[in-house]
Amino acid sequence: MRLLRSVFTRLLLLCAMVAAGAAAGTGTANAAVPDAWGFAYVDTSSGVPNLSYQAGSWTSGAVSVTPGVPGEYFVRFPQIGIPQGGGIAHVTAISQSAEWCQIEKWGQVGTDEMVAVRCYRFGGGPAKALFSIVFGSSSGALFSAAQAFGYVFWNGSSIASGYNSSLAANSVFHNATGDWTVWLPGLGSSVQAGNIQVTAVDSGQPARCKVGAWSWATSGQKIQVLCHDATVNPLDTGWTLTYQRERAITGAFAPPKLFAYTFDNTPANPGPYAPVPPAINFNYPGAVNTVQSAGTGLRLVTFPKVGALPNNVQVTAYGPGPGFCNLLTLWTTSGSTTYVRDVACYNATTRVNQSSFVTYTSMY
């Protein structure tokens, strides 16, 4: 009976989300949606997760979680439901082993936003992973040349929703199985700058995605997305991608003033070191982030002067092949410094040194 109730609950929640999406249609690459944001550290399969690690643009209420089938969680953000299937979501598993979490679907349910998350261990079995999640939507233009923000939700065949702070149209090109090129025009830079997060979106099978390559020009950012199945095979699936430059991961117009990101582009460097060029190692209000080894495949990231609760961390692997990254444990905040201890990266179930993008934001 408990299993039947769990399946029935899952079906009700998915039906509500599908209905919301169907009513809205597929959306457009720059559809105007309300600006909203929220994040949470999900440490429970049912009820309200840790209040010290959740925040958002709602005026009352709290994030809540409902379980589905094993490894599945429905995360409900209060009062920030986005019509037309808009916005973007990212999720990062927090686990001591080779596990990841992916998005199944998200949509407006009443006035709330519901994000369905599914977690797996390498090989495809369900995982009872903890995870960090962020949702946001943006509209309008940024007028600072130094700042840029854009996102794409690729539903497997087209851009279902997206945003570009220059108001140009994002585009996606399918290169081969599990391989895409994303072009973000108008968000260009003369040097490598910013941070990228990618998350798989698939409700039917295990999938994980990463950044394969990244090039930049004054005209825009070109990013390769690579996705794989439960093991090491390239997979065509959906995914979300966010590019941020001098903006928090929560959105182009989200209020946080304490945020930071870094690109650990020399993962064999024992450190501590500050990744270069400086524009990929951003910290607001202006301190220097550092990365150092905590063992093979483990990286300790330090974000000084931005530490404040509630806060959130997301991680995405970078480079060719099927490697992936998660968080070993919940990050810690001491004084004004936040420590990510550690970013953990894997090739299959073996920890390996792997480049990764790490982004941090607080609500302040």
mmCIF file of all heavy atoms in Angstrom, residues 82 105 128 135 146 150 154-155 160-161 170 183 222 245 247 268 279 303 306 320 325 337 357:
data_model
loop_
_atom_site.group_PDB
_atom_site.id
_atom_site.type_symbol
_atom_site.label_atom_id
_atom_site.label_comp_id
_atom_site.label_asym_id
_atom_site.label_seq_id
_atom_site.Cartn_x
_atom_site.Cartn_y
_atom_site.Cartn_z
ATOM 1 N N ILE A 82 6.169 30.028 -12.262
ATOM 2 C CA ILE A 82 6.409 30.754 -13.501
ATOM 3 C C ILE A 82 5.506 30.201 -14.593
ATOM 4 O O ILE A 82 5.566 29.012 -14.924
ATOM 5 C CB ILE A 82 7.886 30.634 -13.937
ATOM 6 C CG1 ILE A 82 8.799 31.153 -12.841
ATOM 7 C CG2 ILE A 82 8.134 31.380 -15.240
ATOM 8 C CD1 ILE A 82 8.591 32.609 -12.474
ATOM 9 N N LYS A 105 11.545 17.388 -14.580
ATOM 10 C CA LYS A 105 10.616 18.365 -15.150
ATOM 11 C C LYS A 105 10.387 19.455 -14.128
ATOM 12 O O LYS A 105 10.653 19.261 -12.936
ATOM 13 C CB LYS A 105 9.274 17.689 -15.508
ATOM 14 C CG LYS A 105 8.297 18.542 -16.324
ATOM 15 C CD LYS A 105 7.061 17.742 -16.654
ATOM 16 C CE LYS A 105 6.055 18.585 -17.444
ATOM 17 N NZ LYS A 105 6.554 18.994 -18.763
ATOM 18 N N LYS A 128 19.747 7.656 -2.872
ATOM 19 C CA LYS A 128 19.137 8.497 -1.834
ATOM 20 C C LYS A 128 20.082 9.659 -1.526
ATOM 21 O O LYS A 128 20.439 9.921 -0.385
ATOM 22 C CB LYS A 128 18.844 7.683 -0.590
ATOM 23 C CG LYS A 128 17.822 6.572 -0.789
ATOM 24 C CD LYS A 128 17.538 5.824 0.484
ATOM 25 C CE LYS A 128 16.828 6.692 1.501
ATOM 26 N NZ LYS A 128 16.430 5.928 2.703
ATOM 27 N N PHE A 135 16.565 27.420 -8.645
ATOM 28 C CA PHE A 135 15.604 27.730 -9.714
ATOM 29 C C PHE A 135 15.537 29.236 -9.867
ATOM 30 O O PHE A 135 15.587 29.977 -8.883
ATOM 31 C CB PHE A 135 14.207 27.186 -9.386
ATOM 32 C CG PHE A 135 13.166 27.607 -10.382
ATOM 33 C CD1 PHE A 135 13.019 26.910 -11.575
ATOM 34 C CD2 PHE A 135 12.362 28.714 -10.160
ATOM 35 C CE1 PHE A 135 12.077 27.314 -12.517
ATOM 36 C CE2 PHE A 135 11.425 29.121 -11.090
ATOM 37 C CZ PHE A 135 11.276 28.417 -12.275
ATOM 38 N N ALA A 146 30.231 44.669 -18.729
ATOM 39 C CA ALA A 146 30.997 43.712 -17.933
ATOM 40 C C ALA A 146 30.142 42.552 -17.468
ATOM 41 O O ALA A 146 30.652 41.463 -17.191
ATOM 42 C CB ALA A 146 31.614 44.412 -16.726
ATOM 43 N N GLY A 150 22.738 34.398 -19.197
ATOM 44 C CA GLY A 150 21.897 33.736 -20.180
ATOM 45 C C GLY A 150 21.664 32.287 -19.808
ATOM 46 O O GLY A 150 22.494 31.670 -19.130
ATOM 47 N N TRP A 154 17.067 23.036 -23.195
ATOM 48 C CA TRP A 154 16.928 22.208 -24.393
ATOM 49 C C TRP A 154 16.103 20.986 -24.007
ATOM 50 O O TRP A 154 16.490 20.208 -23.129
ATOM 51 C CB TRP A 154 18.305 21.790 -24.890
ATOM 52 C CG TRP A 154 18.289 20.881 -26.084
ATOM 53 C CD1 TRP A 154 18.472 19.525 -26.094
ATOM 54 C CD2 TRP A 154 18.094 21.262 -27.443
ATOM 55 N NE1 TRP A 154 18.399 19.043 -27.371
ATOM 56 C CE2 TRP A 154 18.163 20.086 -28.229
ATOM 57 C CE3 TRP A 154 17.860 22.479 -28.082
ATOM 58 C CZ2 TRP A 154 18.012 20.100 -29.612
ATOM 59 C CZ3 TRP A 154 17.716 22.496 -29.455
ATOM 60 C CH2 TRP A 154 17.794 21.321 -30.209
ATOM 61 N N ASN A 155 14.919 20.816 -24.628
ATOM 62 C CA ASN A 155 14.011 19.744 -24.213
ATOM 63 C C ASN A 155 14.248 18.429 -24.941
ATOM 64 O O ASN A 155 13.452 17.495 -24.828
ATOM 65 C CB ASN A 155 12.556 20.187 -24.363
ATOM 66 C CG ASN A 155 12.152 20.401 -25.822
ATOM 67 O OD1 ASN A 155 12.916 20.104 -26.750
ATOM 68 N ND2 ASN A 155 10.956 20.919 -26.035
ATOM 69 N N ALA A 160 13.176 25.068 -25.367
ATOM 70 C CA ALA A 160 11.840 25.193 -24.800
ATOM 71 C C ALA A 160 11.675 26.492 -24.031
ATOM 72 O O ALA A 160 10.577 27.037 -23.942
ATOM 73 C CB ALA A 160 11.545 24.009 -23.884
ATOM 74 N N SER A 161 12.740 26.987 -23.435
ATOM 75 C CA SER A 161 12.712 28.284 -22.769
ATOM 76 C C SER A 161 14.142 28.777 -22.658
ATOM 77 O O SER A 161 15.086 28.000 -22.729
ATOM 78 C CB SER A 161 12.055 28.209 -21.385
ATOM 79 O OG SER A 161 12.857 27.473 -20.482
ATOM 80 N N ASN A 170 19.345 33.003 -28.330
ATOM 81 C CA ASN A 170 20.262 31.880 -28.162
ATOM 82 C C ASN A 170 19.976 30.810 -29.211
ATOM 83 O O ASN A 170 18.854 30.703 -29.708
ATOM 84 C CB ASN A 170 20.101 31.265 -26.767
ATOM 85 C CG ASN A 170 20.273 32.266 -25.656
ATOM 86 O OD1 ASN A 170 21.088 33.180 -25.756
ATOM 87 N ND2 ASN A 170 19.508 32.114 -24.577
ATOM 88 N N TRP A 183 25.221 28.566 -28.650
ATOM 89 C CA TRP A 183 25.721 29.890 -28.995
ATOM 90 C C TRP A 183 24.887 30.922 -28.247
ATOM 91 O O TRP A 183 23.654 30.967 -28.368
ATOM 92 C CB TRP A 183 25.650 30.116 -30.501
ATOM 93 C CG TRP A 183 26.021 31.495 -30.952
ATOM 94 C CD1 TRP A 183 25.223 32.382 -31.623
ATOM 95 C CD2 TRP A 183 27.298 32.153 -30.791
ATOM 96 N NE1 TRP A 183 25.901 33.539 -31.884
ATOM 97 C CE2 TRP A 183 27.177 33.435 -31.392
ATOM 98 C CE3 TRP A 183 28.510 31.792 -30.199
ATOM 99 C CZ2 TRP A 183 28.232 34.352 -31.400
ATOM 100 C CZ3 TRP A 183 29.553 32.703 -30.213
ATOM 101 C CH2 TRP A 183 29.418 33.951 -30.810
ATOM 102 N N LYS A 222 30.524 30.462 -26.930
ATOM 103 C CA LYS A 222 30.233 29.179 -27.569
ATOM 104 C C LYS A 222 30.595 28.069 -26.601
ATOM 105 O O LYS A 222 31.734 27.981 -26.141
ATOM 106 C CB LYS A 222 30.997 29.024 -28.881
ATOM 107 C CG LYS A 222 30.633 27.750 -29.634
ATOM 108 C CD LYS A 222 31.140 27.758 -31.071
ATOM 109 C CE LYS A 222 32.640 27.618 -31.133
ATOM 110 N NZ LYS A 222 33.115 27.428 -32.533
ATOM 111 N N ARG A 245 28.067 35.988 -15.746
ATOM 112 C CA ARG A 245 29.276 36.815 -15.664
ATOM 113 C C ARG A 245 28.970 38.028 -14.796
ATOM 114 O O ARG A 245 28.145 38.872 -15.132
ATOM 115 C CB ARG A 245 29.745 37.262 -17.057
ATOM 116 C CG ARG A 245 31.095 37.964 -17.000
ATOM 117 C CD ARG A 245 31.707 38.173 -18.379
ATOM 118 N NE ARG A 245 31.079 39.253 -19.107
ATOM 119 C CZ ARG A 245 30.486 39.123 -20.297
ATOM 120 N NH1 ARG A 245 30.421 37.932 -20.876
ATOM 121 N NH2 ARG A 245 29.933 40.155 -20.900
ATOM 122 N N ARG A 247 27.220 38.123 -12.293
ATOM 123 C CA ARG A 247 25.860 38.003 -11.760
ATOM 124 C C ARG A 247 25.771 36.693 -11.000
ATOM 125 O O ARG A 247 26.483 35.737 -11.303
ATOM 126 C CB ARG A 247 24.791 38.016 -12.875
ATOM 127 C CG ARG A 247 24.889 39.173 -13.846
ATOM 128 C CD ARG A 247 24.778 40.504 -13.168
ATOM 129 N NE ARG A 247 23.522 40.706 -12.453
ATOM 130 C CZ ARG A 247 23.249 41.774 -11.723
ATOM 131 N NH1 ARG A 247 24.156 42.751 -11.594
ATOM 132 N NH2 ARG A 247 22.095 41.897 -11.113
ATOM 133 N N ALA A 268 45.045 19.236 -11.497
ATOM 134 C CA ALA A 268 46.176 18.520 -10.914
ATOM 135 C C ALA A 268 47.055 19.427 -10.070
ATOM 136 O O ALA A 268 47.982 18.958 -9.396
ATOM 137 C CB ALA A 268 47.014 17.870 -12.018
ATOM 138 N N ALA A 279 39.028 36.747 -14.495
ATOM 139 C CA ALA A 279 37.601 36.888 -14.791
ATOM 140 C C ALA A 279 36.832 35.575 -14.660
ATOM 141 O O ALA A 279 35.597 35.578 -14.681
ATOM 142 C CB ALA A 279 37.401 37.474 -16.184
ATOM 143 N N PHE A 303 35.842 30.374 -0.722
ATOM 144 C CA PHE A 303 35.245 31.633 -1.168
ATOM 145 C C PHE A 303 35.267 32.623 0.000
ATOM 146 O O PHE A 303 34.385 32.591 0.869
ATOM 147 C CB PHE A 303 33.807 31.425 -1.639
ATOM 148 C CG PHE A 303 33.660 30.608 -2.893
ATOM 149 C CD1 PHE A 303 32.942 29.424 -2.880
ATOM 150 C CD2 PHE A 303 34.215 31.039 -4.093
ATOM 151 C CE1 PHE A 303 32.773 28.676 -4.039
ATOM 152 C CE2 PHE A 303 34.066 30.299 -5.259
ATOM 153 C CZ PHE A 303 33.348 29.111 -5.231
ATOM 154 N N VAL A 306 32.386 36.246 1.337
ATOM 155 C CA VAL A 306 31.018 36.141 0.818
ATOM 156 C C VAL A 306 30.160 35.224 1.680
ATOM 157 O O VAL A 306 28.982 35.014 1.385
ATOM 158 C CB VAL A 306 31.008 35.630 -0.645
ATOM 159 C CG1 VAL A 306 31.649 36.631 -1.575
ATOM 160 C CG2 VAL A 306 31.683 34.267 -0.761
ATOM 161 N N PRO A 320 36.392 16.668 -21.988
ATOM 162 C CA PRO A 320 35.888 15.565 -22.810
ATOM 163 C C PRO A 320 35.608 14.329 -21.974
ATOM 164 O O PRO A 320 36.054 14.211 -20.836
ATOM 165 C CB PRO A 320 37.027 15.323 -23.803
ATOM 166 C CG PRO A 320 38.249 15.739 -23.046
ATOM 167 C CD PRO A 320 37.833 16.913 -22.207
ATOM 168 N N CYS A 325 31.051 15.350 -11.775
ATOM 169 C CA CYS A 325 31.416 15.845 -10.434
ATOM 170 C C CYS A 325 30.177 16.025 -9.575
ATOM 171 O O CYS A 325 29.079 16.299 -10.077
ATOM 172 C CB CYS A 325 32.158 17.185 -10.527
ATOM 173 S SG CYS A 325 33.670 17.150 -11.517
ATOM 174 N N THR A 337 33.727 33.477 5.405
ATOM 175 C CA THR A 337 34.292 32.584 4.398
ATOM 176 C C THR A 337 33.453 31.320 4.267
ATOM 177 O O THR A 337 33.022 30.737 5.269
ATOM 178 C CB THR A 337 35.739 32.200 4.766
ATOM 179 O OG1 THR A 337 36.538 33.379 4.840
ATOM 180 C CG2 THR A 337 36.340 31.257 3.729
ATOM 181 N N PHE A 357 33.468 23.639 -12.863
ATOM 182 C CA PHE A 357 32.935 24.962 -12.568
ATOM 183 C C PHE A 357 32.225 24.885 -11.222
ATOM 184 O O PHE A 357 31.431 23.982 -10.976
ATOM 185 C CB PHE A 357 31.929 25.403 -13.624
ATOM 186 C CG PHE A 357 32.497 25.609 -14.998
ATOM 187 C CD1 PHE A 357 32.421 24.609 -15.951
ATOM 188 C CD2 PHE A 357 33.098 26.823 -15.344
ATOM 189 C CE1 PHE A 357 32.930 24.808 -17.230
ATOM 190 C CE2 PHE A 357 33.607 27.027 -16.610
ATOM 191 C CZ PHE A 357 33.522 26.010 -17.558
#
